[in-house]
Amino acid sequence: MPSTIVGAIEAGGTKFVCAVGNGPGSGILERTRFDSGDNPARLMREVVDWFLGQQDKHGEIAGLGLASFGPVDLDENSPTYGYITTTPKRGWQHADILGPLRRAFPGVPAIFDTDVNGAALGEARWGAATGLEDFIYVTAGTGIGGGGMARGRLLHGLVHPEMGHMGLPRIDGDDFEGVCPFHGRCWEGLCSGPAIAKRAGMPAESIPPDHPAWDLTARYMAHAFVNLTCVLSPRRIILGGSVRKAGRLGEEAFLGKVRTAFRDVLAGYIQSPSLDERGIEDYIVPPLLGDDAGVCGAIALAQSVAKTAATPERSRRESIGTSVGHIVS
Amino acid sequence: MPSTIVGAIEAGGTKFVCAVGNGPGSGILERTRFDSGDNPARLMREVVDWFLGQQDKHGEIAGLGLASFGPVDLDENSPTYGYITTTPKRGWQHADILGPLRRAFPGVPAIFDTDVNGAALGEARWGAATGLEDFIYVTAGTGIGGGGMARGRLLHGLVHPEMGHMGLPRIDGDDFEGVCPFHGRCWEGLCSGPAIAKRAGMPAESIPPDHPAWDLTARYMAHAFVNLTCVLSPRRIILGGSVRKAGRLGEEAFLGKVRTAFRDVLAGYIQSPSLDERGIEDYIVPPLLGDDAGVCGAIALAQSVAKTAATPERSRRESIGTSVGHIVS
């Protein structure tokens, strides 16, 4: 059986989603989830056991992709490469999550990146960023994070982007002090799910569509997107995570408010058809892979290092050329 | 004579600096400057004539690098590639500045980028960013602009970065409304030379070292740098331009204020030795090429496309292997 499936892990602070497959939708052959809990070593043993079982069932895994919540160490030359680093999450400080996978699958190439870079890569391969070399993927939910690509490469750097902690202008008359324990009114402190709930004094799902919290959140989101556009000049901004769904207001209405506020804040400074009244509809968009962006991203990461990186179409073509002659359908 | 020299143009809104050579310092064989004026077509004829004269004197130019003020069109597939686009500068709207060079030197590879990306490339090759794949080069003077690299490639995208127009949090008690005609209190509206002068009510050179304008400017600069660090995770931020020289306060004192404020604003959120009390000295730095960053960057751009991209050392090695046998010293 040819090595056309990979192992993928979307490592979140609440749950770890594990999958084997070669793409989105029916390309995901099996998936499962584990509560993250407070014992990463034990969790990783469960994860390894699950993948070993999958390998018995589906054949050799050609690569492993691990897209993780952070902060993480992405420096391959660092002794703590593949670790969660300084998270406040109990039990998870300086937790090695890549090491157990590498030791259990010594011959399998494994790759590690942030959850948002994973989701960005998934959207680049199969979703809202296909064909784009410069774009940003943001997730806004319990927290806010961002990843993406510049000139076709995932953003890394000194550590990795921590876009959610960018500072934003105060909107006139708004005295909400934000919820970030580090910065108060940073983007995450103003636009995360907990921030919206605190501002409105009720759970985000309960906020009426005409409550001012939605307008303010959309406008701060627009300020953040304008800053991203000024710094990176992305060709598209993809907004994932639960905040965009905007409870009783709804996703389309919320994104509409963000788009209108974006053009208002930018004030016509940057000229591009992508930023005009029609273009903006395709500039600020939800993820095409929806809530599977993360796990699909981990698949895409794994494929980028796999011994036989393969989408279904490619694996078919490649299989035809092999002595095995088995066509994967 | 081997083709080891390139032509370089640092195209600014006030002056065009032209040079031929192969590197910084004594690598610049000749240079001149032209006032930018309000007739770009006439200016480009003068520029072309100067380079033709240089070619008669020094031999064939192997490449041309044009690093320009903006906004510019960097899309090689666009009919207006190589144009200045929507500048308010009189006579310069939609001015083709690359075309006249290409027509005058049809066999010579020519490359076009922003002034700040040019300076960034110069610093990467010979200055404060050698060996770094992820860094930002900012110039703060009459305006504020930024460029740099992510994963070893110059930042492009939808248009190109316009970092100076990022929005920043208001510092408590500061009611200065900024000077940007588009955004008022964006980074450029708060920290450019004209902003500092307006805030203090006197030319920047005259502001006393203990005037609060310096502390406020340094703190807004720090807010902007924190945002850049959150978005791009650069390994270094290079601050060029005249603002950093800070008149009677001086460059070292001003950069010291920016570094202290940066750590204060970031509030320990991102853990890295580069951001601790000692590391920050090497994280926020002036350009090593000083005021030659721009023209050296244009040389580096030209070398990146030159028929024989060459530093003096390389040209020597290459010449040794040729039938010409002429060693460039």
Side-chain angles (χ1 to χ4, degrees), chain A residues 20 36 55 79 85 92 98 115 128 150 163 199 223 258 265-266 277 279 281 312:
Chain A
V20 293
S36 307
Q55 206 165 236
T85 58
W92 283 80
L98 182 63
D115 46 6
M163 299 187 191
R199 176 191 286 283
H223 272 289
V258 174
V265 169
L266 191 60
E277 205 170 338
E281 303 277 331

PDB file of all heavy atoms in Angstrom, chain A residues 20 36 55 79 85 92 98 115 128 150 163 199 223 258 265-266 277 279 281 312:
ATOM      1  N   VAL A  20      -6.135  11.086  10.453  1.00  0.00           N
ATOM      2  CA  VAL A  20      -5.291  10.571   9.377  1.00  0.00           C
ATOM      3  C   VAL A  20      -6.056  10.768   8.075  1.00  0.00           C
ATOM      4  O   VAL A  20      -7.286  10.683   8.034  1.00  0.00           O
ATOM      5  CB  VAL A  20      -4.916   9.071   9.553  1.00  0.00           C
ATOM      6  CG1 VAL A  20      -4.005   8.875  10.759  1.00  0.00           C
ATOM      7  CG2 VAL A  20      -6.160   8.209   9.660  1.00  0.00           C
ATOM      8  N   SER A  36      -7.484  18.151  26.357  1.00  0.00           N
ATOM      9  CA  SER A  36      -6.077  18.501  26.559  1.00  0.00           C
ATOM     10  C   SER A  36      -5.641  18.189  27.992  1.00  0.00           C
ATOM     11  O   SER A  36      -4.523  17.733  28.220  1.00  0.00           O
ATOM     12  CB  SER A  36      -5.853  19.981  26.249  1.00  0.00           C
ATOM     13  OG  SER A  36      -6.345  20.281  24.963  1.00  0.00           O
ATOM     14  N   GLN A  55      -2.180   3.335  11.986  1.00  0.00           N
ATOM     15  CA  GLN A  55      -1.182   2.828  11.049  1.00  0.00           C
ATOM     16  C   GLN A  55      -1.414   1.338  10.779  1.00  0.00           C
ATOM     17  O   GLN A  55      -1.267   0.877   9.641  1.00  0.00           O
ATOM     18  CB  GLN A  55       0.213   3.090  11.620  1.00  0.00           C
ATOM     19  CG  GLN A  55       1.260   3.198  10.558  1.00  0.00           C
ATOM     20  CD  GLN A  55       2.567   3.797  11.055  1.00  0.00           C
ATOM     21  OE1 GLN A  55       3.041   4.777  10.509  1.00  0.00           O
ATOM     22  NE2 GLN A  55       3.149   3.218  12.070  1.00  0.00           N
ATOM     23  N   PRO A  79      17.138  23.639  21.685  1.00  0.00           N
ATOM     24  CA  PRO A  79      16.938  22.385  22.434  1.00  0.00           C
ATOM     25  C   PRO A  79      15.480  22.163  22.831  1.00  0.00           C
ATOM     26  O   PRO A  79      15.083  21.029  23.108  1.00  0.00           O
ATOM     27  CB  PRO A  79      17.823  22.563  23.676  1.00  0.00           C
ATOM     28  CG  PRO A  79      18.135  24.015  23.760  1.00  0.00           C
ATOM     29  CD  PRO A  79      18.049  24.568  22.370  1.00  0.00           C
ATOM     30  N   THR A  85       5.832  26.698  25.395  1.00  0.00           N
ATOM     31  CA  THR A  85       6.806  27.368  26.272  1.00  0.00           C
ATOM     32  C   THR A  85       6.151  27.967  27.526  1.00  0.00           C
ATOM     33  O   THR A  85       5.971  27.276  28.522  1.00  0.00           O
ATOM     34  CB  THR A  85       7.626  28.409  25.485  1.00  0.00           C
ATOM     35  OG1 THR A  85       6.736  29.365  24.889  1.00  0.00           O
ATOM     36  CG2 THR A  85       8.437  27.728  24.377  1.00  0.00           C
ATOM     37  N   TRP A  92       1.236  22.680  31.555  1.00  0.00           N
ATOM     38  CA  TRP A  92       1.718  22.753  30.178  1.00  0.00           C
ATOM     39  C   TRP A  92       2.955  23.616  29.978  1.00  0.00           C
ATOM     40  O   TRP A  92       3.447  23.725  28.852  1.00  0.00           O
ATOM     41  CB  TRP A  92       0.587  23.247  29.259  1.00  0.00           C
ATOM     42  CG  TRP A  92      -0.404  22.161  28.981  1.00  0.00           C
ATOM     43  CD1 TRP A  92      -1.420  21.748  29.800  1.00  0.00           C
ATOM     44  CD2 TRP A  92      -0.443  21.309  27.837  1.00  0.00           C
ATOM     45  NE1 TRP A  92      -2.098  20.706  29.228  1.00  0.00           N
ATOM     46  CE2 TRP A  92      -1.523  20.416  28.013  1.00  0.00           C
ATOM     47  CE3 TRP A  92       0.319  21.221  26.670  1.00  0.00           C
ATOM     48  CZ2 TRP A  92      -1.844  19.444  27.068  1.00  0.00           C
ATOM     49  CZ3 TRP A  92      -0.008  20.263  25.723  1.00  0.00           C
ATOM     50  CH2 TRP A  92      -1.079  19.385  25.927  1.00  0.00           C
ATOM     51  N   LEU A  98       6.250  17.607  20.551  1.00  0.00           N
ATOM     52  CA  LEU A  98       6.738  16.997  19.314  1.00  0.00           C
ATOM     53  C   LEU A  98       7.596  15.763  19.610  1.00  0.00           C
ATOM     54  O   LEU A  98       7.518  14.753  18.890  1.00  0.00           O
ATOM     55  CB  LEU A  98       7.549  18.029  18.511  1.00  0.00           C
ATOM     56  CG  LEU A  98       8.091  17.558  17.159  1.00  0.00           C
ATOM     57  CD1 LEU A  98       6.957  17.202  16.209  1.00  0.00           C
ATOM     58  CD2 LEU A  98       8.999  18.615  16.537  1.00  0.00           C
ATOM     59  N   ASP A 115      -0.897  26.837  15.520  1.00  0.00           N
ATOM     60  CA  ASP A 115      -2.229  26.453  15.049  1.00  0.00           C
ATOM     61  C   ASP A 115      -2.695  27.367  13.913  1.00  0.00           C
ATOM     62  O   ASP A 115      -3.261  26.894  12.921  1.00  0.00           O
ATOM     63  CB  ASP A 115      -3.244  26.456  16.215  1.00  0.00           C
ATOM     64  CG  ASP A 115      -3.156  27.690  17.104  1.00  0.00           C
ATOM     65  OD1 ASP A 115      -2.379  28.631  16.785  1.00  0.00           O
ATOM     66  OD2 ASP A 115      -3.868  27.722  18.122  1.00  0.00           O
ATOM     67  N   ALA A 128      -9.679  29.414   1.287  1.00  0.00           N
ATOM     68  CA  ALA A 128      -9.884  30.799   0.860  1.00  0.00           C
ATOM     69  C   ALA A 128      -8.608  31.503   0.437  1.00  0.00           C
ATOM     70  O   ALA A 128      -8.654  32.663   0.039  1.00  0.00           O
ATOM     71  CB  ALA A 128     -10.567  31.582   1.995  1.00  0.00           C
ATOM     72  N   ALA A 150       3.987  35.270   3.863  1.00  0.00           N
ATOM     73  CA  ALA A 150       4.576  36.382   3.126  1.00  0.00           C
ATOM     74  C   ALA A 150       5.426  35.772   2.032  1.00  0.00           C
ATOM     75  O   ALA A 150       6.259  34.898   2.303  1.00  0.00           O
ATOM     76  CB  ALA A 150       5.422  37.256   4.043  1.00  0.00           C
ATOM     77  N   MET A 163      -0.210  38.192  16.976  1.00  0.00           N
ATOM     78  CA  MET A 163      -0.951  39.344  16.470  1.00  0.00           C
ATOM     79  C   MET A 163      -2.002  39.850  17.437  1.00  0.00           C
ATOM     80  O   MET A 163      -2.320  41.041  17.457  1.00  0.00           O
ATOM     81  CB  MET A 163      -1.605  38.993  15.130  1.00  0.00           C
ATOM     82  CG  MET A 163      -0.582  38.629  14.063  1.00  0.00           C
ATOM     83  SD  MET A 163      -1.356  38.405  12.428  1.00  0.00           S
ATOM     84  CE  MET A 163       0.015  37.666  11.533  1.00  0.00           C
ATOM     85  N   ARG A 199     -17.855  43.171  27.997  1.00  0.00           N
ATOM     86  CA  ARG A 199     -18.339  44.489  27.571  1.00  0.00           C
ATOM     87  C   ARG A 199     -19.873  44.542  27.625  1.00  0.00           C
ATOM     88  O   ARG A 199     -20.454  45.529  28.083  1.00  0.00           O
ATOM     89  CB  ARG A 199     -17.867  44.768  26.149  1.00  0.00           C
ATOM     90  CG  ARG A 199     -18.380  46.061  25.560  1.00  0.00           C
ATOM     91  CD  ARG A 199     -18.090  46.159  24.070  1.00  0.00           C
ATOM     92  NE  ARG A 199     -16.692  46.427  23.740  1.00  0.00           N
ATOM     93  CZ  ARG A 199     -16.109  47.615  23.843  1.00  0.00           C
ATOM     94  NH1 ARG A 199     -16.769  48.645  24.320  1.00  0.00           N
ATOM     95  NH2 ARG A 199     -14.852  47.786  23.495  1.00  0.00           N
ATOM     96  N   HIS A 223      -9.938  48.144  12.924  1.00  0.00           N
ATOM     97  CA  HIS A 223      -8.665  48.809  13.240  1.00  0.00           C
ATOM     98  C   HIS A 223      -7.513  47.810  13.179  1.00  0.00           C
ATOM     99  O   HIS A 223      -6.436  48.103  12.648  1.00  0.00           O
ATOM    100  CB  HIS A 223      -8.724  49.443  14.632  1.00  0.00           C
ATOM    101  CG  HIS A 223      -9.261  50.846  14.644  1.00  0.00           C
ATOM    102  ND1 HIS A 223      -8.555  51.915  14.140  1.00  0.00           N
ATOM    103  CD2 HIS A 223     -10.428  51.349  15.111  1.00  0.00           C
ATOM    104  CE1 HIS A 223      -9.269  53.028  14.298  1.00  0.00           C
ATOM    105  NE2 HIS A 223     -10.415  52.715  14.884  1.00  0.00           N
ATOM    106  N   VAL A 258     -17.575  44.767   9.817  1.00  0.00           N
ATOM    107  CA  VAL A 258     -16.106  44.857   9.823  1.00  0.00           C
ATOM    108  C   VAL A 258     -15.618  45.466   8.513  1.00  0.00           C
ATOM    109  O   VAL A 258     -14.758  46.353   8.498  1.00  0.00           O
ATOM    110  CB  VAL A 258     -15.461  43.473  10.051  1.00  0.00           C
ATOM    111  CG1 VAL A 258     -13.942  43.555   9.917  1.00  0.00           C
ATOM    112  CG2 VAL A 258     -15.846  42.908  11.419  1.00  0.00           C
ATOM    113  N   VAL A 265     -11.920  53.311   8.363  1.00  0.00           N
ATOM    114  CA  VAL A 265     -10.674  53.552   9.104  1.00  0.00           C
ATOM    115  C   VAL A 265      -9.516  53.809   8.139  1.00  0.00           C
ATOM    116  O   VAL A 265      -8.696  54.695   8.350  1.00  0.00           O
ATOM    117  CB  VAL A 265     -10.356  52.359  10.038  1.00  0.00           C
ATOM    118  CG1 VAL A 265      -8.945  52.473  10.614  1.00  0.00           C
ATOM    119  CG2 VAL A 265     -11.391  52.260  11.162  1.00  0.00           C
ATOM    120  N   LEU A 266      -9.437  53.030   7.064  1.00  0.00           N
ATOM    121  CA  LEU A 266      -8.321  53.192   6.113  1.00  0.00           C
ATOM    122  C   LEU A 266      -8.413  54.540   5.387  1.00  0.00           C
ATOM    123  O   LEU A 266      -7.405  55.115   4.989  1.00  0.00           O
ATOM    124  CB  LEU A 266      -8.316  52.041   5.108  1.00  0.00           C
ATOM    125  CG  LEU A 266      -7.078  51.928   4.219  1.00  0.00           C
ATOM    126  CD1 LEU A 266      -5.809  51.741   5.054  1.00  0.00           C
ATOM    127  CD2 LEU A 266      -7.218  50.784   3.222  1.00  0.00           C
ATOM    128  N   GLU A 277     -15.341  49.188  -2.678  1.00  0.00           N
ATOM    129  CA  GLU A 277     -16.583  48.756  -2.040  1.00  0.00           C
ATOM    130  C   GLU A 277     -16.959  47.312  -2.405  1.00  0.00           C
ATOM    131  O   GLU A 277     -17.531  46.591  -1.590  1.00  0.00           O
ATOM    132  CB  GLU A 277     -17.709  49.722  -2.443  1.00  0.00           C
ATOM    133  CG  GLU A 277     -18.831  49.770  -1.433  1.00  0.00           C
ATOM    134  CD  GLU A 277     -19.809  50.902  -1.730  1.00  0.00           C
ATOM    135  OE1 GLU A 277     -19.423  51.879  -2.424  1.00  0.00           O
ATOM    136  OE2 GLU A 277     -20.963  50.793  -1.280  1.00  0.00           O
ATOM    137  N   GLY A 279     -14.567  45.049  -3.848  1.00  0.00           N
ATOM    138  CA  GLY A 279     -13.407  44.189  -3.583  1.00  0.00           C
ATOM    139  C   GLY A 279     -13.311  43.746  -2.134  1.00  0.00           C
ATOM    140  O   GLY A 279     -12.852  42.630  -1.852  1.00  0.00           O
ATOM    141  N   GLU A 281     -15.413  42.688  -0.179  1.00  0.00           N
ATOM    142  CA  GLU A 281     -16.171  41.461   0.102  1.00  0.00           C
ATOM    143  C   GLU A 281     -15.296  40.213  -0.026  1.00  0.00           C
ATOM    144  O   GLU A 281     -15.539  39.209   0.643  1.00  0.00           O
ATOM    145  CB  GLU A 281     -17.348  41.324  -0.885  1.00  0.00           C
ATOM    146  CG  GLU A 281     -18.303  42.484  -0.907  1.00  0.00           C
ATOM    147  CD  GLU A 281     -19.349  42.407   0.202  1.00  0.00           C
ATOM    148  OE1 GLU A 281     -19.687  41.283   0.613  1.00  0.00           O
ATOM    149  OE2 GLU A 281     -19.803  43.475   0.650  1.00  0.00           O
ATOM    150  N   PRO A 312      -5.217  13.468  -3.092  1.00  0.00           N
ATOM    151  CA  PRO A 312      -5.762  12.301  -3.788  1.00  0.00           C
ATOM    152  C   PRO A 312      -5.377  12.267  -5.265  1.00  0.00           C
ATOM    153  O   PRO A 312      -4.936  11.246  -5.769  1.00  0.00           O
ATOM    154  CB  PRO A 312      -7.266  12.451  -3.591  1.00  0.00           C
ATOM    155  CG  PRO A 312      -7.404  13.204  -2.311  1.00  0.00           C
ATOM    156  CD  PRO A 312      -6.233  14.143  -2.272  1.00  0.00           C
TER     157      PRO A 312
END
